[in-house]
Amino acid sequence: MYDTYIFDLYGTLIDIETDEEHSEVWERLSLHFSYHGLNINGAELKKQFLAERDRQLAAAARHCEFPDFVMEEVFREIARDLGGEPGQAWLHETVRWMRTLSMIHISLYEGVAEILGRLRSSGKKVFLLSNGQKTFIEAELTMLDILHLFDGIAISSEAGVSKPDPLFYRYLTDNYGADLSSAIMIGNDPRTDIAGANAVGIASCYIETASSPRGLPVNSTVQILNGSLRQIPGWNG
């Protein structure tokens, strides 16, 4: 039925819970800054982070409707304001620290590796289209041992644009050769995954999981309301 499968990541393939609002996350991250001579407390670090993030998003919004930012560049500007000139390795480390400090739970949903592997072995093309940061998405795909199961991985921070923007789908086709004429988008969020698929005129499969927003209309080709990836169309041939 479909030759191209495009998956969302968080809430669709990966069950994840994070809390970036907790003050302890920022207090601990501020220690990471202080270890490098960049003295700042947690509350001020969070304040500066949000302000710089919003500034970068506003700048990117001149080029697309749904922009994204690069977290390393946010931390770079904060460090410069504190008198530092951080290298890329330190910036990557800082992003990873923020992610791990805010992490409460992460795991694959049942059947993910089997389903992705079966799709590819049956000749389907499998792509990831994920909003989020390249630094921790690639690390988490590696940690959960599914990085190798995709024919292409498009990440919003790298593209500078996020779902549901049609430009993100164009990025996927231009950079990874995804054929949208035979594609289905599979995701757990009607505002991003399903709306994006509808915007570019491809089929969509909504899968409701614990992190799906509730009470929103879902205008998808297929709906799976019990969270089972094993019900996505065509995966078992």
Side-chain angles (χ1 to χ4, degrees):
M1 184 182 302
Y2 304 106
D3 294 323
T4 302
Y5 284 73
I6 305 171
F7 286 91
D8 170 55
L9 184 58
Y10 297 114
T12 300
L13 302 178
I14 292 179
D15 180 17
I16 190 168
E17 183 181 359
T18 62
D19 183 3
E20 295 178 357
E21 297 302 315
H22 200 292
S23 60
E24 189 174 347
V25 170
W26 296 95
E27 287 298 333
R28 291 183 176 182
L29 190 62
S30 73
L31 293 175
H32 171 70
F33 274 72
S34 296
Y35 284 172
H36 292 268
L38 306 171
N39 295 315
I40 188 171
N41 64 46
E44 183 63 23
L45 178 58
K46 180 181 179 181
K47 179 182 176 182
Q48 290 195 24
F49 176 88
L50 294 176
E52 180 60 26
R53 180 202 65 184
D54 290 348
R55 189 195 69 76
Q56 292 193 18
L57 284 172
R62 294 196 294 265
H63 309 290
C64 63
E65 185 177 0
F66 297 94
D68 204 356
F69 70 102
V70 178
M71 195 175 287
E72 280 89 345
E73 295 308 310
V74 172
F75 285 129
R76 187 193 304 278
E77 292 306 313
I78 294 172
R80 283 175 172 170
D81 287 344
L82 295 171
E85 190 57 56
Q88 202 63 30
W90 185 86
L91 292 168
H92 286 322
E93 181 185 12
T94 305
V95 172
R96 294 188 192 103
W97 265 113
M98 181 172 178
R99 184 64 162 183
T100 55
L101 288 171
S102 66
M103 185 75 67
I104 298 171
H105 166 81
I106 186 169
S107 65
L108 290 177
Y109 283 111
E110 194 275 327
V112 167
E114 177 190 359
I115 292 165
L116 297 180
R118 185 81 66 86
L119 284 169
R120 296 190 75 206
S121 66
S122 64
K124 310 296 184 181
K125 294 294 185 180
V126 178
F127 298 93
L128 185 69
L129 191 71
S130 179
N131 290 352
Q133 295 295 312
K134 176 182 173 70
T135 297
F136 58 69
I137 286 178
E138 290 184 343
E140 288 161 9
L141 291 173
T142 300
M143 176 180 70
L144 296 169
D145 198 27
I146 59 171
L147 181 69
H148 63 289
L149 295 176
F150 297 98
D151 294 288
I153 296 171
I155 300 172
S156 62
S157 68
E158 188 172 38
V161 61
S162 62
K163 293 176 292 184
D165 203 311
L167 290 175
F168 198 17
Y169 287 82
R170 184 184 302 173
Y171 178 88
L172 181 67
T173 60
D174 290 348
N175 288 273
Y176 300 102
D179 179 10
L180 297 187
S181 69
S182 64
I184 183 169
M185 175 76 211
I186 299 164
N188 77 311
D189 193 326
R191 302 164 301 182
T192 54
D193 304 315
I194 307 306
N198 291 339
V200 295
I202 65 174
S204 60
C205 175
Y206 170 72
I207 179 165
E208 188 171 278
T209 62
S211 60
S212 296
R214 298 299 196 264
L216 299 178
V218 179
N219 183 24
S220 60
T221 312
V222 178
Q223 291 189 26
I224 301 170
L225 301 181
N226 64 358
S228 175
L229 276 168
R230 296 187 182 279
Q231 294 183 20
I232 65 174
W235 77 272
N236 57 0

